[in-house]
Amino acid sequence: MTSYSKYWRTNYSKDKATELAFGLRALRKVAGYLGQNVKSVYWEGMIDPELKSSSIIINTKQIKNNYPIASNTFDIMVGQVLKDGIASIEWTEWVYEKVYSRSKYMSDLLEPYFKSIFNASEYIYVYEYTKKEKIWNLYLLNFIKNKIQSNSSDPFVEPTHQSLADIWIEKKILNKTYKSLHFYFLLPLGILNKYTAKIQNIVQIKSVGERRDTRIDIYIQLWNELAAVILKINNWILPYLPPSLILENQNEKKINDPDDPDDNQSDSCMDKDIANQILEEVDHEKADITVNIIKAVSDPQSGIMPTIFKKGMAKSNTKPDMQQVAKLKHIFKTQISLIRRAKKRRFKRGMLEGKLDPKRLYRSPIDGRVFKLKESKSPDYFWHICIVADASASMTGKEGHNRPWLIAEQAFVSLAAAAKGFNNHLDIFSYCEDKKSCVLTQLFYGDTVYSVLPTGQTPSGQAILGAAIMLNKRYKNNMIIHITDGASNCGIRISSAISYCNKNNIDLYTIGCGCNLQTRQFLSQYFPPKNLFFMNNINSLAVGLERLFTRTMLVLIK
């Protein structure tokens, strides 16, 4: 087999962690070459299971512990990134949801067939899509060949959902011919063959939106016609199979379906030390989170702009204001004190059963109420605090030291210093528009505050939603504090971000610093008075943070 992957790779290593880092960097280079709206690439086991649906996951099992990674193996990985990357650009997941919801025939029995046929349809579509770039076509062909070989479908037995999809792919992409097939294949394949040309011709449509909508219409027609035929062929519907064959069929699906998001769970046990080493090598690169935002908004026409997440690189030289630090620390200490009092109130005393209460022993001869009970669940009073700060051009200010961003940065440094040693989790992000993309920069990590240069426009809704998606799900109490001096003027509407926060129990507040009348009216349209604070200028930002923390973090504890 000819290898093409050397174009993407310049560094190799026999060390496992280093080679996986080099390989991941090369695969991300491929994804970046495809375009903006492509999911992030990770090795299996590097990220939490709930994030897998919004990422391209590459299984390391195929490497077989041979390092450096063989070129032929890497070609197959490039093919997977290519297929999943184009699927992101062409809205495959959105198309799947629409077709599934609008299909006439759907049940637990038909769903495996629906998934396999939909995936096969998208393989045919993506393969046709890549024909304009011959090298992409070759990568994808290698990936498809490897996929089909690993499934090893038998054409001489009754068709399963996977074998029907595989034989359709083999005939239309690999140009494989069969002298004989099980006769139950003939009618379903006749329907699939009838729609193949229609699927291939979709790539001629210039608009992504039109291609998306056309695929929805064609896939619905295909499935409704195919499902009716499947239901008529009773001999290969699961209820008519012996229980042993049903279980075998389900196990086969679990093992052999590479497009199933639950597949390969057993291979997700990458050593944490190796995963951390890989992340250290590649973490400095940018991550495109546009796909995550698209899924959260679920509206292709909502004016979404590309969104890039990155970590700050330049450490802040700003010193904390010790008076601000002392005031904020006082709030956090008060929080701890109130939590301790609340925990004491969790005991119910004077009970007839439970744990013996030494303070109530004198009541033993009176009524026997000498026991206490503790509540089964401890309430969670700690917070995930997420600062999302406007770093657009307006925050640059005039010449001199009294610049809005420098003052805001000092407030962030002071907050980071005050929060150290307490159990609340703190994130600080800045956002701006750069080259028609929303750039979300993490300013606080590793106990260090970083700095950015304000620039561009103000994509507030886009940034708030991006930060909300990345909140730590371990915390029950989540708070986003949006800091701005102007109205949003690009990206998605703020109302979309507010709606997402409300649905996910995220408290969203805005502190407007030095806003003019027009901006005040704009923000007042979206935020209720209790969630909106206006400061006369940026110098009052620390006061706004103190007031906000007092009203939220301390009031929660009763």
Side-chain angles (χ1 to χ4, degrees):
M1 183 186 293
T2 305
S3 174
Y4 312 100
S5 62
K6 291 183 179 180
Y7 175 82
W8 303 104
R9 304 211 55 190
T10 55
N11 298 311
Y12 299 85
S13 175
K14 292 184 179 180
D15 178 71
K16 180 177 180 178
T18 306
E19 173 66 2
L20 288 175
F22 288 157
L24 183 59
R25 189 177 299 169
L27 292 172
R28 289 185 174 182
K29 191 190 300 182
V30 175
Y33 190 89
L34 292 174
Q36 288 276 5
N37 190 22
V38 177
K39 298 177 181 180
S40 298
V41 184
Y42 293 96
W43 295 118
E44 179 76 31
M46 283 184 64
I47 59 174
D48 295 332
E50 61 265 21
L51 299 177
K52 291 177 70 173
S53 62
S54 59
S55 307
I56 298 175
I57 305 299
I58 308 297
N59 196 335
T60 57
K61 187 177 180 181
Q62 54 193 311
I63 300 174
K64 299 177 181 178
N65 285 323
N66 293 324
Y67 299 97
I69 302 170
S71 297
N72 291 342
T73 302
F74 199 80
D75 278 355
I76 295 169
M77 296 176 178
V78 172
Q80 181 183 344
V81 173
L82 175 66
K83 191 266 177 185
D84 292 345
I86 293 176
S88 298
I89 296 171
E90 295 293 309
W91 294 76
T92 291
E93 292 180 1
W94 193 80
V95 171
Y96 178 91
E97 291 174 2
K98 295 299 179 183
V99 176
Y100 185 92
S101 62
R102 298 178 190 176
S103 295
K104 181 180 178 181
Y105 298 97
M106 193 58 63
S107 67
D108 292 340
L109 300 175
L110 287 173
E111 191 167 346
Y113 293 94
F114 175 79
K115 288 182 178 180
S116 295
I117 296 303
F118 178 88
N119 288 331
S121 302
E122 285 293 277
Y123 272 108
I124 291 172
Y125 172 72
V126 172
Y127 183 74
E128 191 69 21
Y129 182 94
T130 60
K131 282 187 176 179
K132 54 188 175 183
E133 294 284 349
K134 185 177 179 180
I135 188 65
W136 289 145
N137 205 241
L138 294 172
Y139 279 124
L140 188 59
L141 190 63
N142 279 348
F143 173 65
I144 292 173
K145 286 179 179 178
N146 182 73
K147 171 188 177 295
I148 298 297
Q149 289 173 0
S150 63
N151 289 340
S152 62
S153 301
D154 190 345
F156 302 110
V157 299
E158 294 178 352
T160 65
H161 60 89
Q162 194 62 59
S163 64
L164 178 61
D166 287 347
I167 289 176
W168 184 30
I169 292 174
E170 285 180 316
K171 289 172 71 68
K172 296 304 174 182
I173 295 181
L174 305 182
N175 297 319
K176 185 175 180 179
T177 58
Y178 287 92
K179 293 182 179 180
S180 62
L181 287 169
H182 191 283
F183 63 92
Y184 281 163
F185 275 105
L186 300 181
L187 193 54
L189 282 177
I191 295 172
L192 295 173
N193 292 338
K194 182 177 69 173
Y195 281 93
T196 302
K198 294 181 180 181
I199 296 172
Q200 293 171 333
N201 291 335
I202 298 174
V203 299
Q204 304 301 327
I205 302 174
K206 293 183 179 181
S207 167
V208 175
E210 290 182 17
R211 292 199 297 269
R212 178 190 65 222
D213 295 339
T214 304
R215 276 154 55 220
I216 292 173
D217 293 337
I218 291 177
Y219 292 169
I220 290 174
Q221 295 172 20
L222 185 156
W223 173 246
N224 288 339
E225 190 173 341
L226 181 65
V229 171
I230 292 174
L231 290 174
K232 291 179 181 178
I233 308 177
N234 293 331
N235 288 336
W236 55 298
I237 295 294
L238 291 180
Y240 295 89
L241 293 176
S244 59
L245 289 180
I246 294 175
L247 181 61
E248 182 180 348
N249 183 281
Q250 292 172 344
N251 290 336
E252 177 188 5
K253 172 185 177 294
K254 193 69 180 176
I255 296 171
N256 292 336
D257 188 358
D259 295 303
D260 190 336
D262 295 327
D263 193 22
N264 298 321
Q265 289 292 328
S266 60
D267 298 320
S268 60
C269 52
M270 176 179 284
D271 185 86
K272 289 185 178 180
D273 291 336
I274 293 177
N276 290 333
Q277 290 180 52
I278 296 171
L279 288 172
E280 286 178 5
E281 290 283 344
V282 299
D283 250 357
H284 67 277
E285 298 179 358
K286 297 179 181 179
D288 191 334
I289 60 172
T290 311
V291 173
N292 307 58
I293 292 177
I294 290 172
K295 291 183 66 177
V297 175
S298 67
D299 180 7
Q301 311 300 333
S302 59
I304 295 172
M305 65 191 304
T307 304
I308 304 298
F309 167 77
K310 66 178 184 179
K311 292 193 173 185
M313 300 299 293
K315 292 184 179 180
S316 173
N317 295 322
T318 304
K319 301 298 181 182
D321 183 326
M322 298 314 297
Q323 288 185 344
Q324 291 181 16
V325 172
K327 292 178 180 178
L328 291 169
K329 271 192 174 182
H330 176 71
I331 294 174
F332 296 139
K333 287 179 180 178
T334 304
Q335 180 194 23
I336 295 296
S337 177
L338 291 174
I339 289 174
R340 287 173 180 168
R341 293 181 190 176
K343 287 183 177 180
K344 289 181 180 179
R345 293 197 298 268
R346 288 170 50 215
F347 285 97
K348 294 182 179 180
R349 301 181 183 275
M351 307 301 291
L352 291 172
E353 59 182 2
K355 188 176 180 180
L356 191 65
D357 187 354
K359 295 182 179 180
R360 295 290 190 274
L361 288 177
Y362 70 92
R363 300 191 65 88
S364 179
I366 302 173
D367 55 13
R369 294 181 176 273
V370 295
F371 297 96
K372 60 182 178 180
L373 289 176
K374 187 177 182 181
E375 292 181 7
S376 58
K377 290 187 178 180
S378 175
D380 186 0
Y381 295 117
F382 294 107
W383 287 80
H384 184 168
I385 305 168
C386 180
I387 306 290
V388 182
D390 176 4
S392 60
S394 60
M395 291 292 286
T396 305
K398 299 179 180 180
E399 295 294 332
H401 294 287
N402 195 29
R403 294 184 176 183
W405 182 253
L406 293 178
I407 298 170
E409 195 172 293
Q410 185 179 52
F412 303 153
V413 173
S414 302
L415 175 59
K420 190 174 182 180
F422 296 94
N423 289 331
N424 300 300
H425 182 79
L426 177 64
D427 275 330
I428 303 175
F429 298 100
S430 70
Y431 71 90
C432 65
E433 175 272 332
D434 184 37
K435 297 178 182 178
K436 298 183 179 181
S437 295
C438 173
V439 180
L440 192 64
T441 306
Q442 186 176 7
L443 298 182
F444 180 60
Y445 61 93
D447 292 330
T448 304
V449 178
Y450 294 81
S451 181
V452 294
L453 292 175
T455 185
Q457 299 186 71
T458 313
S460 300
Q462 197 93 10
I464 292 171
L465 186 54
I469 290 170
M470 293 187 288
L471 286 178
N472 191 329
K473 295 180 176 59
R474 185 170 66 88
Y475 287 82
K476 294 181 180 179
N477 304 314
N478 296 286
M479 175 198 311
I480 292 180
I481 304 173
H482 173 227
I483 299 169
T484 185
D485 67 341
S488 176
N489 53 20
C490 60
I492 64 172
R493 297 182 296 272
I494 286 185
S495 58
S496 297
I498 294 174
S499 176
Y500 179 86
C501 290
N502 290 338
K503 290 179 182 178
N504 291 274
N505 298 318
I506 300 170
D507 294 342
L508 175 59
Y509 301 91
T510 287
I511 300 179
C513 300
C515 300
N516 57 32
L517 179 60
Q518 184 179 3
T519 301
R520 286 171 178 256
Q521 292 174 344
F522 173 84
L523 294 174
S524 298
Q525 292 176 2
Y526 296 101
F527 295 92
K530 66 177 183 178
N531 292 59
L532 184 59
F533 300 80
F534 286 117
M535 305 290 111
N536 291 330
N537 52 58
I538 194 69
N539 294 288
S540 304
L541 174 59
V543 176
L545 290 173
E546 294 170 26
R547 188 184 305 172
L548 177 55
F549 290 151
T550 302
R551 290 187 182 182
T552 55
M553 297 169 62
L554 303 186
V555 171
L556 176 68
I557 311 169
K558 297 182 181 180

